[in-house]
Amino acid sequence: MVELKYKNWNEISINTFEKLQGLFNLEKTGDEQMDNLNMNISMLSILCDVDEDTITDLPVNDFTELSKQCMFINEMPKAKIKDKYEINGQMYEVQFNVEDMTMNQYIDFQTFIKEKEKYLKNICACFLIPKGKKYGDGYKISEVVEDIGNSFSIVDAHSIFFFFTLLFQSLTKATLACLVKKMKREKKKMNKEQQVQVQRAIDEVNKVMNLVKSGAGLFG
């Protein structure tokens, strides 16, 4: 008998969640080809990690039983953010102090937050740093993003995303001003290409400072 590979939300990775999200989006848009039965077949194929033909070949009783086991999908639990996570055998530490962020780190975060649903694993990679490393130093960010996408729980990913979203929304103008000063100091040590990138980051922070001053939301 076919069995569920993913039996609860904590076992579902970001990449698997994105597949499910694609189905949910089709349902919301009222896609004519995606009725309830087809939706269940597609969802079960993802949760069992098999093709849809394998699901449609199941006896009705087995299909019904698997569908019942998938009821957990209706509600995602919340999780508290941790200070470290083990992902695919590698220990990662969460960088909570945003004042220690590098320019590249801040630029990446500002870039990915604009399309947060598409780049959730990239956003997590901005704050999940391999133990003993600094952002982007001594490891490949692309490999970390791949591991996060394949092996990091969507529940934990959401806890990181919401924590840092709220954190940046609550940053004071003074804190942002300190970040700008730090960028300007480091800008003097860089080549022209790097200086252009840092200036873009400074411009972005200044925009955020204006939003904070006006009381507007950061990522609304």
Side-chain angles (χ1 to χ4, degrees), residues 1-8 39-74:
M1 175 181 171
V2 175
E3 296 182 354
L4 290 183
K5 178 179 180 181
Y6 309 105
K7 297 183 173 69
N8 58 66
M39 170 70 72
N40 284 342
I41 291 171
S42 297
M43 183 175 67
L44 284 172
S45 74
I46 293 172
L47 294 177
C48 295
D49 196 23
V50 297
D51 58 43
E52 293 188 9
D53 287 341
T54 301
I55 299 300
T56 55
D57 285 340
L58 288 173
V60 172
N61 288 342
D62 288 353
F63 179 86
T64 302
E65 178 58 30
L66 279 176
S67 297
K68 289 179 181 178
Q69 294 176 28
C70 291
M71 294 301 292
F72 75 85
I73 211 78
N74 294 322

Side-chain angles (χ1 to χ4, degrees), residues 138-153:
Y139 69 96
K140 292 184 178 180
I141 296 177
S142 60
E143 292 179 356
V144 168
V145 171
E146 183 177 0
D147 275 347
I148 289 174
N150 290 329
S151 306
F152 195 45
S153 163

Side-chain angles (χ1 to χ4, degrees), residues 119-194:
Y119 293 111
L120 178 58
K121 50 183 171 280
N122 301 79
I123 293 171
C124 289
C126 289
F127 303 104
L128 286 170
I129 314 300
K131 187 175 181 179
K133 306 287 185 181
K134 294 183 179 180
Y135 183 74
D137 186 8
Y139 69 96
K140 292 184 178 180
I141 296 177
S142 60
E143 292 179 356
V144 168
V145 171
E146 183 177 0
D147 275 347
I148 289 174
N150 290 329
S151 306
F152 195 45
S153 163
I154 185 63
V155 178
D156 289 327
H158 276 171
S159 71
I160 287 177
F161 170 76
F162 288 120
F163 176 87
F164 283 102
T165 297
L166 292 174
L167 179 62
F168 274 89
Q169 285 178 335
S170 64
L171 283 176
T172 63
K173 184 179 177 181
T175 302
L176 292 172
C178 289
L179 184 57
V180 169
K181 288 181 181 179
K182 178 182 177 182
M183 289 180 174
K184 287 181 177 179
R185 287 198 303 269
E186 295 194 21
K187 178 181 174 183
K188 297 176 182 179
K189 309 172 187 177
M190 300 177 176
N191 59 40
K192 290 185 178 180
E193 184 177 349
Q194 291 173 323

Side-chain angles (χ1 to χ4, degrees), residues 191-203:
N191 59 40
K192 290 185 178 180
E193 184 177 349
Q194 291 173 323
Q195 287 179 357
V196 170
Q197 288 184 315
V198 172
Q199 186 58 52
R200 288 175 183 167
I202 291 173
D203 293 340

